[in-house]
Amino acid sequence: MTTALGLSAAAISSRPSAASTMSYEEAVQASRTPLRSTPRDRELVRFATLAANSHNTQPWIFSARGNEIVIAPDFARRCPAVDPDDHHLYVSLGCAAENLVLAASTLGWRANPVVDGDRIVIALEQAPPAASALAGAIPVRQCTRAAFDGRPVVPEMLRQLERACGEPNVSAILMTERAAIAKVADYVLEANSAQMRDKAFMRELVSWMRFNEADAVATMDGLFSHVSGNPSLPAWSRGRS
């Protein structure tokens, strides 16, 4: 689950007290409702906060004035154990900026982002509306680590994924053979085991875990354990991790 109505957009709106009275499904529906034209800035920020971001920490602060929206880092939401150089934090800001640019274009605004120190300054100017498949995908994008249905991905979709990586200095290694996947899985398991033995990493991870729907709605951030295929647990289980 991500935010509802730009909950992390501190300079535009504070976390609404109404969130605590919502059910989990209501909170999800509120965050993923189709983009509206008004209020413009709040709606653009809502779509920006649906971006992928590390640990769902939502490490951003939005401010708006006139036709300018600024995205700044919220260093109170750093993850020093897993992201000591803030690389993922800044990538998260970039994802939010990309979402905002795409959403703005559908409402008839050309968004021009410029990096200004730690901030991303986005100037808006009127332009013909330009809907896109990417903008349409924003409210339905989601992350899950639960088990997939086991059906093979169709070849054309694999080719689309491979083509999507066709950027300068970027290449994709597509593995579909079981033996090749198993070799990579061994390295992933070894890396995961090393992280799990790291006490600082585990403390940080658990601090961002939300073990049940009430926990997730109360904070409107973090990693809901259910998306990893785990059952909901009482909040006190955090202290037993």
Side-chain angles (χ1 to χ4, degrees), residues 1-8 15 19 22-33 45-58 60 77 99 138-143 210 215-224 227:
M1 185 177 69
T2 53
T3 58
L5 293 178
L7 292 179
S8 60
R15 294 175 181 270
M22 289 182 179
S23 70
Y24 179 78
E25 289 301 323
E26 288 170 339
V28 171
Q29 290 173 8
S31 68
R32 296 182 178 277
T33 191
V45 167
R46 177 170 68 86
F47 261 50
T49 60
L50 291 173
N53 62 100
S54 181
H55 273 9
N56 193 25
T57 57
Q58 301 165 33
W60 39 53
R77 292 174 167 269
N99 270 25
I138 290 174
V140 296
R141 184 203 67 82
Q142 56 185 303
C143 296
R210 309 297 178 240
D215 224 7
V217 173
T219 60
M220 300 299 284
D221 61 11
L223 303 167
F224 185 20
V227 303

Side-chain angles (χ1 to χ4, degrees), residues 133-177:
L134 286 175
I138 290 174
V140 296
R141 184 203 67 82
Q142 56 185 303
C143 296
T144 179
R145 294 182 183 179
F148 287 91
D149 59 16
R151 291 180 299 174
V153 179
V154 297
E156 175 54 30
M157 187 169 291
L158 291 175
R159 285 192 290 271
Q160 288 180 27
L161 289 170
E162 199 168 19
R163 288 196 298 270
C165 295
E167 299 286 342
N169 301 315
V170 176
S171 60
I173 300 174
L174 192 63
M175 289 178 292
T176 56
E177 300 82 9

Side-chain angles (χ1 to χ4, degrees), residues 72-124:
D74 184 349
F75 291 117
R77 292 174 167 269
R78 292 185 66 238
C79 291
V82 74
D83 186 27
D85 62 355
D86 295 327
H87 173 81
H88 291 169
L89 184 151
Y90 283 106
V91 168
S92 300
L93 300 190
C95 292
E98 179 69 12
N99 270 25
L100 197 151
V101 169
L102 290 167
S105 68
T106 69
L107 297 182
W109 295 92
R110 181 180 296 109
N112 304 299
V114 174
V115 176
D116 177 25
D118 285 340
R119 311 179 311 158
I120 302 174
V121 180
I122 302 174
L124 301 172

Side-chain angles (χ1 to χ4, degrees), residues 25 129 170 186 192 201 208:
E25 289 301 323
V170 176
D186 288 341
N192 282 345
F201 171 84
W208 286 104

